[in-house]
Amino acid sequence: MTTHQQDANLRRYFDQQAARYGRDPLTRWLGRHEMAALAELAPPAPEPGVTPALDFGCGTGRASDVLLRCGYRVTGYDLSEAMVAQARRNLEAKPGLVLTTDRESVAGPWPLVAAMGVLDYHADTASLW
């Protein structure tokens, strides 16, 4: 399977999951623990409101919200339009936040990258990096 086909399959899957993703009890339980760990591990932004961070595979925006609270200017990327739409609803256009499905717009170096629950969906992660 090509990377393009794999991305299309993942996009379809997560587009179907987006509406109920945040209501799933297991997802909520895991998410609380993952976000607590991220909040503990992510250093405060060196220049609050200026230092950029990438939430790669932002889903419904949980990690983006944590990074915003750490003081970062956050770009959340996800291949699922429906997940990004849910993130927009959840985060209500917070200052310092950009959400996108355009992978090319997030290419390049980032001082901080969060990729929560993304890498395990890819047999070969080289193309992601």
Side-chain angles (χ1 to χ4, degrees):
M1 179 180 312
T2 68
T3 301
H4 180 71
Q5 291 168 321
Q6 185 176 12
D7 284 355
N9 289 341
L10 287 171
R11 183 177 301 109
R12 273 191 301 278
Y13 174 76
F14 282 105
D15 280 347
Q16 293 169 354
Q17 298 299 314
R20 62 182 168 267
Y21 187 80
R23 294 189 314 260
D24 179 90
L26 180 60
T27 299
R28 288 176 41 207
W29 183 83
L30 285 171
R32 277 194 305 274
H33 293 282
E34 288 172 333
M35 294 311 107
L38 178 60
E40 192 173 312
L41 293 170
E47 294 181 65
V50 176
T51 304
L54 174 62
D55 182 3
F56 189 83
C58 68
T60 61
R62 295 181 306 192
S64 292
D65 192 40
V66 171
L67 295 172
L68 286 167
R69 285 186 270 127
C70 289
Y72 291 92
R73 192 182 76 237
V74 178
T75 297
Y77 161 78
D78 203 284
L79 53 78
S80 167
E81 291 275 353
M83 285 292 209
V84 169
Q86 188 64 47
R88 284 191 179 104
R89 286 189 290 279
N90 291 346
L91 299 176
E92 300 176 351
K94 288 189 176 185
L97 176 66
V98 172
L99 296 166
T100 185
T101 60
D102 178 14
R103 187 179 290 178
E104 295 302 315
S105 72
V106 299
W110 292 86
L112 180 75
V113 177
M116 308 292 289
V118 173
L119 301 179
D120 48 334
Y121 287 98
H122 298 271
D124 178 9
T125 60
S127 66
L128 300 177
W129 302 112

